[in-house]
Amino acid sequence: MTTHDVRALVARWRALPTEEKVYRRRAAVVDHVIHSMAMEGEPVSDRWIEQARQRQRAVLGSH
């Protein structure tokens, strides 16, 4: 990825409405937690993941 590519991505992000930025951040939370815990060698149960995704869908459904 070139500097130009990064600048273009940043410009597109900055151009998004605030509501869309918030939505995208919230949509990424569960995945971030799962990946972070995996990197630390922490177990994440399938049940926890499913429950977290259900709560996430409930929050995002109001978007």
Side-chain angles (χ1 to χ4, degrees):
M1 185 174 279
T2 67
T3 302
H4 176 70
D5 295 334
V6 172
R7 287 182 180 165
L9 286 171
V10 170
R12 282 198 302 268
W13 175 259
R14 289 180 177 166
L16 291 173
T18 301
E19 297 81 16
E20 182 63 22
K21 290 178 192 174
V22 169
Y23 175 84
R24 290 183 185 195
R25 287 179 185 127
R26 288 180 177 165
V29 170
V30 173
D31 288 332
H32 284 281
V33 170
I34 293 167
H35 292 266
S36 177
M37 291 180 76
M39 285 181 56
E40 294 295 324
E42 301 271 340
V44 182
S45 72
D46 290 338
R47 181 178 174 174
W48 183 89
I49 292 170
E50 182 55 35
Q51 289 174 339
R53 292 206 190 282
Q54 286 176 0
R55 287 188 300 270
Q56 183 182 44
R57 283 190 293 272
V59 170
L60 296 176
S62 62
H63 174 29

